[in-house]
Amino acid sequence: MKIIDAHMHLSHIDSFRTTALERSHVDYSVSGLLREYEENGVVLGIGMGVTETAAGGFPDREANTPMGLDMLEQYSRQFVYCPGVNPFKLDQSNLDALELDLQRPEAVGIKIYLGYYPFFAYDDVYQPVYELAKQYKVPVVYHTGDTYSERGLLKYAHPLTIDEVAVQHREVNFMMAHFGDPWVLDGAEVVYKNRNVFADLSGLMVGDAAECSRLKDSPLFFSHLRHAVTYCDHYEKMLFGTDWPLAPIQPYLQFVQELIPAAYHQAVFYDTALQVFPKIRPIVES
């Protein structure tokens, strides 16, 4: 089975490098990710664009929209990306630059960092972004749930805030990163209710293979998550993602394989990504 990683990172972010070095013990480099992809049958990675202007600065109010994958010198058929949005840098020139990015074949969605920036999904600042998503027929990916920075504000990252946007913009698909963890039951309801809302299962564990195994097999650590995916009862609206470099590919892949019934593996690991990110189809099928 071919696999698409619907959520990963290749950006010079200080916290990613520290995590790779001290916790996940992955080789945080382009070659390191390609090696893990080859070993595990991953044919494409969808990177979430994010940059910081000073080490340790993310969420960085000075980073220009659009934010990309600044570890890549050029894009290859193994990687595409979702340009990242800094709501503090969304004047007309930034919106024009974002639109230019969306005209590139490798720009397959838009990433909004709820919680890292103090705006709700439905705030007016993001309305021009949703219009661009509609015009270019690309999804909007939201960070939801816990933030990987103590400077984030959790109230802005709650998955219920996406419901209003999904109702207002029925023509746009939205992907809830991390399924809103720890508010996954709320996230499940938003996915269940709205035909245009999906969720990725990335970033639910941080650590190396041993730590991932410990968390996966803990009787209570993921009980809320198992409850939520069962309650949602729309496995076909879930997408596999790793949030690499937070964890190595192989143990994270095993975790999601055990979480999702085998009958839905083809959808979760491949088919649903083609539905949510239609621009990737010619890349993976060529």
Side-chain angles (χ1 to χ4, degrees):
M1 180 180 64
K2 294 191 293 186
I3 297 170
I4 294 171
D5 181 356
H7 189 136
M8 60 80 173
H9 294 280
L10 279 172
S11 293
H12 292 296
I13 302 296
D14 189 61
S15 61
F16 290 161
R17 294 195 177 281
T18 300
T19 297
L21 181 65
E22 299 179 357
R23 299 189 63 182
S24 64
H25 303 141
V26 302
D27 174 5
Y28 186 46
S29 66
V30 175
S31 60
L33 181 55
L34 285 173
R35 184 167 54 251
E36 289 197 53
Y37 276 180
E38 183 177 2
E39 291 170 352
N40 292 282
V42 180
V43 298
L44 184 73
I46 303 176
M48 299 296 140
V50 59
T51 56
E52 60 184 11
T53 60
F58 184 74
D60 192 330
R61 297 191 179 195
E62 299 305 314
N64 273 315
T65 298
M67 298 183 283
L69 310 183
D70 58 7
M71 285 173 61
L72 285 179
E73 295 182 1
Q74 61 183 8
Y75 288 88
S76 64
R77 62 179 299 161
Q78 290 94 350
F79 301 123
V80 293
Y81 76 111
C82 296
V85 170
N86 174 2
F88 292 104
K89 297 284 188 175
L90 265 184
D91 62 17
Q92 191 57 53
S93 64
N94 292 121
L95 288 169
D96 290 345
L98 177 59
E99 183 170 8
L100 282 176
D101 255 27
L102 293 175
Q103 295 170 7
R104 301 172 61 175
E106 61 268 22
V108 302
I110 300 171
K111 178 65 184 290
I112 290 177
Y113 289 89
L114 300 180
Y116 289 99
Y117 294 109
F119 298 90
F120 290 108
Y122 49 74
D123 282 348
D124 288 344
V125 68
Y126 290 127
Q127 297 306 317
V129 176
Y130 302 144
E131 292 303 319
L132 285 173
K134 177 181 176 181
Q135 178 181 348
Y136 286 93
K137 297 180 172 59
V138 296
V140 173
V141 180
Y142 291 114
H143 173 88
T144 58
D146 182 37
T147 60
Y148 205 56
S149 167
E150 64 181 12
R151 294 189 301 277
L153 294 172
L154 294 174
K155 69 177 182 179
Y156 296 103
H158 197 287
L160 280 179
T161 67
I162 296 172
D163 182 50
E164 185 170 335
V165 183
V167 170
Q168 291 174 344
H169 299 278
R170 304 304 289 173
E171 309 92 339
V172 178
N173 282 334
F174 298 94
M175 187 174 85
M176 180 189 306
H178 323 305
F179 203 19
D181 190 45
W183 306 294
V184 288
L185 200 57
D186 296 317
E189 173 58 24
V190 177
V191 172
Y192 171 82
K193 170 185 175 283
N194 296 289
R195 68 174 185 271
N196 57 334
V197 179
F198 301 78
D200 80 36
L201 299 172
S202 72
L204 301 171
M205 305 190 278
V206 180
D208 59 13
E211 179 66 1
C212 288
S213 179
R214 182 186 73 83
L215 295 174
K216 176 178 68 69
D217 296 332
S218 171
L220 293 178
F221 193 82
F222 284 120
S223 60
H224 68 303
L225 178 62
R226 295 185 172 94
H227 179 192
V229 296
T230 303
Y231 168 78
C232 184
D233 200 29
H234 279 290
Y235 297 102
E236 78 285 355
K237 296 184 76 178
M238 307 292 168
L239 292 82
F240 171 70
T242 61
D243 215 5
W244 194 89
L246 271 59
I249 302 293
Q250 193 280 327
Y252 205 88
L253 179 61
Q254 182 182 2
F255 159 65
V256 179
Q257 286 173 330
E258 293 181 14
L259 178 68
I260 300 296
Y264 294 96
H265 282 189
Q266 180 66 33
V268 171
F269 289 99
Y270 189 80
D271 290 347
T272 305
L274 300 182
Q275 177 184 354
V276 176
F277 298 94
K279 287 178 71 173
I280 70 174
R281 185 178 292 273
I283 298 172
V284 297
E285 294 185 349
S286 62

